[in-house]
Amino acid sequence: MPEMLLAKLVKKEKLNSDIFKFSVEAPSIVKTSKPGNFIEIRVSDQVEPFLRRPISIYNMDRENGILEFIFQVKGKGTKILAQREVGDNIDIIGPLGYGTFKYEQYKNLAIIGGGIGVFPLYELAKCAKKDEKKVNIYLGYRSKDFVVLEEEFKQVSDNFILTTDDGSYSQKGYAIQFLEKDIDEGKVDAIFACGPLPMLKAVQKLANEKSIPCQISLEEKMACGLGVCLGCAVKTTKSSKEAPEYLHVCKAGPVFNSKDVEI
């Protein structure tokens, strides 16, 4: 069950000009969290902004009860959050999301992410590596300026590929090109993805064509995070014009079997 708590900020890091990593004391959340879960954060004690911000869990230090999350400053809420300092308490609800990454039955995992969508994939890769799975990681960024967490992901992978759209760093191209090559060579038996919608659509299409099991983590605007406001609906593949069917990302997800949702 999700818990609400005031989590003390014990470490604050700036990864680049607008991306921050926060480490907070949240042992009760860490104890029950799984790869793919997220949290909802109240960014201010003031009336505005009223709604909490959904943020993926990046890493869980279970031994010390430390939860880490990473966010990009995009609007008023995240700008306020970025101003918090070590020692401050942060109002958090979590862990949220019943749909999490399920990798246990597979041996050769392909973990693919793009941009800020790479953040929730680290805990998955770390846990899979610990469970002696073969972890193949494919990360795509627009350019060198946007690259983050390269060394962290390298440490939890057996095979690591990093691409930039413009070729300004590492390999030029798209991460999915390298994933497709490894699928064709029989190196992958399941795909796990998070990132921009165009990338997820391409991954979903590739998984269907190659008949590879695929799980995708979706990002939607989630006001409540509990399935109450119904604002994060995604259409299922069972839908028809006469009988549309929807699932809610915050409750049924954020991780879905790619065959179950229309994106």
Side-chain angles (χ1 to χ4, degrees):
M1 288 291 294
E3 293 191 35
M4 181 186 296
L5 75 156
L6 294 176
K8 183 179 179 181
L9 178 60
V10 295
K11 189 175 182 181
K12 174 182 178 180
E13 299 175 66
K14 195 171 185 179
L15 302 185
N16 67 19
S17 61
D18 62 355
I19 294 179
F20 291 83
K21 181 169 80 170
F22 280 14
S23 304
V24 299
E25 293 178 342
S28 57
I29 294 179
V30 167
K31 185 178 180 180
T32 58
S33 290
K34 297 178 181 179
N37 279 142
F38 68 98
I39 54 178
E40 287 264 352
I41 298 176
R42 186 178 181 188
V43 298
S44 173
D45 295 332
Q46 306 302 314
V47 176
E48 290 287 340
F50 177 72
L51 298 176
R52 291 177 179 267
R53 266 49 181 179
I55 297 181
S56 300
I57 295 174
Y58 161 70
N59 181 45
M60 292 175 283
D61 178 352
R62 299 185 189 278
E63 184 177 346
N64 298 300
I66 301 298
L67 181 153
E68 295 184 323
F69 61 90
I70 301 176
F71 64 95
Q72 182 178 33
V73 177
K74 284 188 170 183
K76 183 177 181 181
T78 46
K79 185 177 181 180
I80 293 172
L81 183 60
Q83 294 169 358
R84 296 294 185 93
E85 298 296 342
V86 171
D88 290 349
N89 287 325
I90 300 178
D91 188 335
I92 292 175
I93 296 177
L96 297 168
Y98 293 102
T100 55
F101 290 112
K102 297 175 176 61
Y103 64 87
E104 291 78 6
Q105 71 186 90
Y106 305 108
K107 293 182 179 180
N108 302 300
L109 280 58
I111 297 175
I112 181 168
I116 61 173
V118 307
F119 303 154
L121 297 174
Y122 176 78
E123 181 67 19
L124 166 64
K126 185 187 75 174
C127 290
K129 181 73 172 173
K130 185 179 178 182
D131 289 341
E132 300 182 341
K133 307 295 184 181
K134 184 172 182 183
V135 179
N136 305 283
I137 295 178
Y138 312 81
L139 304 183
Y141 299 92
R142 272 190 278 171
S143 69
K144 183 178 180 179
D145 293 339
F146 294 91
V147 175
V148 291
L149 305 174
E150 178 182 3
E151 292 305 315
E152 289 84 348
F153 274 100
K154 277 183 179 178
Q155 291 173 14
V156 292
S157 66
D158 295 287
N159 174 42
F160 179 81
I161 298 292
L162 190 151
T163 67
T164 50
D165 297 355
D166 61 1
S168 56
Y169 185 73
S170 193
Q171 304 197 63
K172 183 177 182 179
Y174 300 104
I176 194 170
Q177 296 169 327
F178 295 87
L179 169 60
E180 183 171 10
K181 178 177 177 291
D182 285 349
I183 291 174
D184 290 341
E185 293 178 1
K187 297 178 180 178
V188 170
D189 54 24
I191 303 171
F192 303 82
C194 185
L197 194 57
M199 189 206 82
L200 290 182
K201 286 183 176 180
V203 170
Q204 183 186 51
K205 182 173 182 288
L206 177 64
N208 288 339
E209 290 173 351
K210 304 294 184 179
S211 298
I212 297 283
C214 178
Q215 298 171 28
I216 55 176
S217 180
L218 299 181
E219 296 179 355
E220 292 287 340
K221 292 182 178 179
M222 295 183 277
C224 73
L226 299 168
V228 177
C229 71
L230 308 182
C232 59
V234 59
K235 189 178 286 189
T236 74
T237 50
K238 296 178 181 178
S239 294
S240 65
K241 260 187 176 181
E242 295 74 26
E245 292 186 24
Y246 294 89
L247 294 171
H248 294 97
V249 173
C250 73
K251 197 168 183 181
V255 180
F256 296 91
N257 184 314
S258 66
K259 290 185 175 181
D260 294 340
V261 291
E262 291 185 11
I263 57 175

